[in-house]
Amino acid sequence: TILEGPMHTSATLIFKTFPQHLGALQNMNLPMPILGVALAPKHRSLLGITIDSFHHTFITMIIRECQKKSIFYLGLALLFSITLVLLQRDHDLLHFPSVRTTNDPVTKSTTGQPRTALPGPKQTVLPEASLKALQNQTLGFEKVYVINLPKRTDKLDAIRLSASVTGFNFDVIAGQNGSDMSPKAMPGPFKNGPMRDSVVGCWRSHMQAAHNIVNNRLSSALIFEDDADWDISFRSQLLNFATGSQWLLNTPSGSTPHSPYGDDWDLLWLGHCALAPIKTDPRRVLFENDPSTTPWIHRFNMGEIPDMTHYDNTTRIVYASDGGTCLYAYALSYRGAQKILFHLSMSYYHRPVDFGIHDMCHDHSRGFRCIGVFPQIVDSHRGAGSSSKDSDISKGKEMDRKKGFSYNIVRSTRLNVGHLILGEEDKIESQWPGEVPELKGPVKVSFREKFGE
């Protein structure tokens, strides 16, 4: 019936020009016979042959040609299918969550300021694929790294044990000793002094993390320092953080971004000792009634933090960050790692590494997009015993501790690891018993677009 209607006249003319070339037609590919079979009844003699002879001629040709070429086409189809599978696999493994097409309105700004939201509502509930990714052995990132000086096997053992009870794996990046580095390998003249070698070594260790991401073409990686600690509810905290980051990154409602934390980010700052918000960006994602939130009186920070006077003692927020200090835990996307290497290793630089990453977030002309959380969900641990073990960078007054502690963490994984190994959940201890209220009901999530909401 395809020759009924507007296409009839042109099709009739085409078919009328071919009768004298029937022999040529028989050597053509399949479309012409298929069209011939589809002729309306009143046009089936257009070629000057009966429909029966038409069918016989062309069907015989089809069978003969298919027999000759079936193996070839089958192999070609199989090769094509395998190629598609491999391409899809490469896309899944090597997608870069912060890289989109230039036509995407979310990414046209390179200033680091909030992008224009896509039309329609933004994501407020994580899609199933994001929830599943957050449950994997690398916490929703493609890789997890821990920076550890080879001589500090004590720290490596402790964080390996903490990761095991939390349910994630990590690879080790060997920390660098600044005294082993050639001045020619440094991007600038680091200031001489008693801490110079430690500062240089720390800088190079974090550059190595960025280097590994780029070298291995990882879509993202989470990087810990080896004294990091987190709450026993760390996975739930990451789920909340992902909800906030997807919304801040203007993820369209109902869509599934490549990364469970959203697309178009450079750095996610999870563990710090201060993290400022972008003053011109009022957006906040609030998680109220959160029992893992550090009470005000026990919050310890060393720099600018968000104004939390509008919120109660059990509220944590996720927001666009203008920079911070301390690098206990942070994630880099592939593009973020590229920018870090360019600005802090290839370009002129000679300061502590966290100062440089602060500047990356603060200098919006670099197009470095940072998302943060406060109170922080990762901080540093100070173990029992001599305080000289605390840091390989700074040296404070030496003292002996009977019990370790962690900054800004309510139910420390390190302090409860013995109970977690034995499955003694009823014995989990808070660092501040009696000061964290017993909360009932789920964590309440809300999204604020403007100041004062």
Side-chain angles (χ1 to χ4, degrees), residues 78-137:
L78 182 60
L79 179 62
F80 181 70
S81 300
I82 292 173
T83 301
L84 286 179
V85 170
L86 291 175
L87 286 174
Q88 181 62 38
R89 175 180 178 273
D90 285 343
H91 172 76
D92 291 340
L93 290 176
L94 300 177
H95 62 260
F96 306 141
S98 63
V99 179
R100 290 189 176 185
T101 64
T102 54
N103 293 325
D104 188 332
V106 173
T107 60
K108 283 189 176 180
S109 170
T110 58
T111 64
Q113 295 284 6
R115 271 62 163 179
T116 303
L118 292 170
K122 293 186 288 184
Q123 193 94 280
T124 58
V125 178
L126 291 178
E128 188 65 30
S130 294
L131 289 171
K132 183 177 179 181
L134 289 165
Q135 296 167 9
N136 69 19
Q137 291 292 303

Side-chain angles (χ1 to χ4, degrees), residues 433-445:
E435 298 184 48
V436 179
E438 289 291 331
L439 302 178
K440 297 181 180 180
V443 174
K444 179 184 175 183
V445 186

Side-chain angles (χ1 to χ4, degrees), residues 227-253:
D227 57 352
D229 192 17
W230 50 86
D231 196 272
I232 63 169
S233 63
F234 188 44
R235 281 187 174 272
S236 296
Q237 292 176 332
L238 288 175
L239 187 150
N240 290 339
F241 182 86
T243 301
S245 60
Q246 284 203 22
W247 185 83
L248 289 168
L249 293 165
N250 300 320
T251 306
S253 179

